[in-house]
Amino acid sequence: DVKVTQSSRYLVKRTGEKVFLECVQDMDHENMFWYRQDPGLGLRLIYFSYDVKMKEKGDIPEGYSVSREKKERFSLILESASTNQTSMYLCASSLSTDSNQPQHFGDGTRLSIL
Amino acid sequence: GQSLEQPSEVTAVEGAIVQINCTYQTSGFYGLSWYQQHDGGAPTFLSYNALDGLEETGRFSSFLSRSDSYGYLLLQELQMKDSASYFCAVGHDNRDDKIIFGKGTRLHILP
């Protein structure tokens, strides 16, 4: 089974801090994704990566950056955390660039910015 | 713009059948997927339709009509464990695996 592991289940940080969310997948998947999930808004794509050192903006990239130095690891960075970034963050991976490849999700990180 | 519409909540009785609809408006179309998410859990993939028609996987079936930009997820012989949120998702760009998710349908099952 594919395993997508997010480093923290719950995280509390303060406004203005630089925050790192880590995600690791163990199935040699090409694609990795970061979403945030808010009540009533579903899953919204922040950034995705289809190869090492490659990244593309999703629908809501403002205030975020990403890093993919190794194929198995995709990091989401909040450059200067703000209260409106309090949310559930979900990482996902998929095998390759093919529309019928399912995305496999981690358990999520519930991030609170105080 | 890109949009997917699905009901926010549906209620059904244990043992019954329920259908969750999804209509989409996207610049491209490369398949309709369904995901299930239990409270506090990760979304998990249920099904994928690229062509018109019905795909069956056990108690769950998914249907697609590309001409109507419409699909549905059909859950039969409902069990209490099916209480969850269900998301439709559309692949709209064949250059990558980026997909757009609907806002989700919360399924409540009554005993």
Side-chain angles (χ1 to χ4, degrees):
Chain A
D1 270 358
V2 176
K3 184 72 174 175
V4 178
T5 303
Q6 295 184 228
S7 54
S8 304
R9 194 85 165 98
Y10 300 93
L11 204 55
V12 180
K13 296 290 182 181
R14 296 206 173 273
T15 302
E17 282 192 71
K18 191 169 186 176
V19 181
F20 293 85
L21 302 184
E22 306 287 345
C23 175
V24 176
Q25 50 94 3
D26 66 358
M27 286 300 290
D28 203 34
H29 281 178
E30 301 289 332
N31 301 331
M32 296 189 75
F33 308 82
W34 274 106
Y35 296 90
R36 63 177 283 177
Q37 184 174 26
D38 300 288
L41 297 179
L43 283 77
R44 293 181 292 166
L45 182 64
I46 304 171
Y47 267 97
F48 70 101
S49 168
Y50 52 89
D51 201 353
V52 175
K53 296 192 186 295
M54 304 302 288
K55 61 185 179 184
E56 286 204 22
K57 293 179 179 179
D59 301 315
I60 51 164
E62 295 78 20
Y64 303 94
S65 62
V66 290
S67 172
R68 193 162 180 205
E69 295 296 319
K70 293 184 178 181
K71 191 175 186 180
E72 67 271 19
R73 185 179 298 269
F74 192 35
S75 303
L76 179 70
I77 303 152
L78 285 67
E79 297 292 343
S80 177
S82 64
T83 54
N84 64 12
Q85 292 177 309
T86 291
S87 186
M88 170 68 86
Y89 289 87
L90 290 162
C91 174
S93 71
S94 66
L95 180 61
S96 65
T97 304
D98 186 341
S99 288
N100 71 350
Q101 295 296 328
Q103 294 193 9
H104 300 266
F105 286 83
D107 288 333
T109 295
R110 188 165 292 283
L111 175 65
S112 296
I113 306 297
L114 305 178
Chain B
Q2 325 265 27
S3 68
L4 282 79
E5 297 291 331
Q6 55 181 127
S8 58
E9 289 186 272
V10 172
T11 300
V13 178
E14 190 176 15
I17 298 172
V18 72
Q19 179 174 310
I20 300 174
N21 299 320
C22 175
T23 57
Y24 59 88
Q25 191 171 18
T26 54
S27 56
F29 180 79
Y30 295 95
L32 177 69
S33 302
W34 288 91
Y35 287 77
Q36 178 192 59
Q37 185 181 29
H38 287 100
D39 283 348
T44 56
F45 173 79
L46 290 176
S47 67
Y48 172 80
N49 294 68
L51 302 175
D52 289 355
L54 192 68
E55 296 279 345
E56 298 182 61
T57 309
R59 294 188 297 115
F60 292 5
S61 303
S62 57
F63 172 82
L64 174 66
S65 168
R66 287 175 298 169
S67 59
D68 295 323
S69 299
Y70 163 76
Y72 64 73
L73 180 69
L74 190 74
L75 295 80
Q76 302 182 74
E77 300 172 19
L78 284 172
Q79 301 175 9
M80 297 304 292
K81 68 178 182 179
D82 298 329
S83 295
S85 292
Y86 293 85
F87 296 87
C88 60
V90 167
H92 66 99
D93 190 331
N94 69 343
R95 295 174 301 166
D96 54 53
D97 256 347
K98 192 169 70 169
I99 59 178
I100 298 172
F101 284 86
K103 294 189 168 95
T105 298
R106 178 71 183 216
L107 175 61
H108 303 278
I109 298 176
L110 304 176

